[in-house]
Amino acid sequence: MKVNGWCWLLMCLGALSSCSSRRYFSTPILQAEKDFKDHIGFVVYDPGKEKTLYTHQGDRYFTPASNTKIFTYYTSLVVLGDSVPALRYEQRNDSLIFWGTGDPGFLYENTHRENRVYNFLKSHPSKLFFSSANFDTEYLGPGWAWDDSNDYYQVERTPFPIYGNIATVKRANTKLTAFPDIFTYTVADSSQDQRAKMVRGSDSNTLTYTPGKTDRPRQWNIPFHCSDQLLVKLLS
């Protein structure tokens, strides 16, 4: 279970306090468990002293909470620096063969800042050939929830992400527009639900739109099902 902001602050202050860590950690954790009617696992470890300063249900299995992302983010900043290789390529006669590196920023609006990779591929005089031979990872990670595949935060893992591996569909009145525009959609019978729904097939890129009772403008960001053929089509 994730720990809310005030509890996290109290824990950090407790770690810096000259009083015993158990006193400062135990009170907010036990109170949080009582307030949220849930279980919390929390461990503070000093790697310098190789000593556990405090543990609360540290031997139990928990699904990692969002707090874990803070350490992942910090580690990424230290290890990766301010940039990552966008692709690898090799010139062979009149052909340019390129491989992806997993860089998530290519043409993704939330991180895209410059067009060096795009312009390099577009302006290169050789014939372009994409290879995914260096990718030996499953598209979906172990433990990923299968019913989250329609949500923006669970995109498939690919060697050459493009547009964040997300399709965006916008509705204004009764008109639907998709980006990239190669994705198609079907319209199902109206639902009694208040809000309209846009759902992607689990093994395809066909989007099914079900109108709701309201007709307000709406936008959906849906992970698309990746393949080498789709990537080449998007790049072309």
Side-chain angles (χ1 to χ4, degrees):
M1 172 187 172
K2 67 178 67 176
V3 183
N4 64 3
W6 65 265
C7 187
W8 177 260
L9 177 60
L10 286 176
M11 290 176 180
C12 292
L13 291 175
L16 299 174
S17 171
S18 59
C19 298
S20 71
S21 59
R22 176 164 296 278
R23 171 187 170 189
Y24 276 86
F25 283 124
S26 295
T27 301
I29 288 178
L30 294 175
Q31 187 61 45
E33 284 190 321
K34 179 180 179 182
D35 293 341
F36 293 102
K37 298 180 175 62
D38 214 329
H39 300 291
I40 294 176
F42 192 78
V43 177
V44 180
Y45 180 77
D46 187 335
K49 297 181 179 179
E50 298 184 350
K51 178 182 179 182
T52 298
L53 302 179
Y54 177 80
T55 178
H56 177 77
Q57 301 192 120
D59 58 344
R60 297 187 61 178
Y61 292 108
F62 288 87
T63 299
S66 294
N67 291 335
T68 308
K69 299 173 185 176
I70 299 174
F71 301 103
T72 303
Y73 177 61
Y74 174 75
T75 303
S76 300
L77 290 177
V78 173
V79 174
L80 298 177
D82 62 355
S83 60
V84 295
L87 56 80
R88 303 188 185 281
Y89 63 90
E90 182 176 327
Q91 185 77 43
R92 295 184 185 177
N93 299 321
D94 64 345
S95 301
L96 182 80
I97 305 172
F98 65 97
W99 298 262
T101 62
D103 172 25
F106 183 64
L107 299 182
Y108 181 41
E109 63 177 1
N110 289 341
T111 60
H112 183 63
R113 293 294 180 269
E114 46 79 25
N115 293 314
R116 282 187 295 175
V117 176
Y118 176 81
N119 290 334
F120 171 77
L121 294 175
K122 181 181 179 181
S123 61
H124 204 281
S126 301
K127 297 178 181 178
L128 302 180
F129 293 91
F130 168 71
S131 172
S132 61
N134 64 333
F135 183 74
D136 57 1
T137 303
E138 296 293 334
Y139 286 101
L140 300 179
W144 289 15
W146 66 268
D147 55 348
D148 284 350
S149 61
N150 202 67
D151 298 319
Y152 72 93
Y153 51 80
Q154 189 164 294
V155 298
E156 294 183 359
R157 300 184 295 186
T158 61
F160 199 111
I162 182 171
Y163 302 119
N165 289 349
I166 290 177
T168 300
V169 182
K170 296 181 180 181
R171 183 197 67 191
N173 297 323
T174 58
K175 184 179 180 181
L176 293 170
T177 57
F179 179 82
D181 58 7
I182 68 170
F183 294 105
T184 60
Y185 49 84
T186 59
V187 179
D189 294 335
S190 297
S191 169
Q192 296 302 311
D193 293 340
Q194 194 70 18
R195 303 183 69 186
K197 294 185 295 184
M198 183 72 67
V199 179
R200 194 206 82 201
S202 59
D203 57 352
S204 72
N205 284 312
T206 299
L207 306 174
T208 301
Y209 170 68
T210 305
K213 292 182 179 180
T214 60
D215 198 31
R216 294 192 298 267
R218 184 81 195 278
Q219 174 174 314
W220 295 268
N221 297 309
I222 301 176
F224 52 73
H225 185 56
C226 303
S227 67
D228 291 356
Q229 293 77 14
L230 176 62
L231 173 62
V232 171
K233 189 174 182 179
L234 289 172
L235 286 175
S236 65

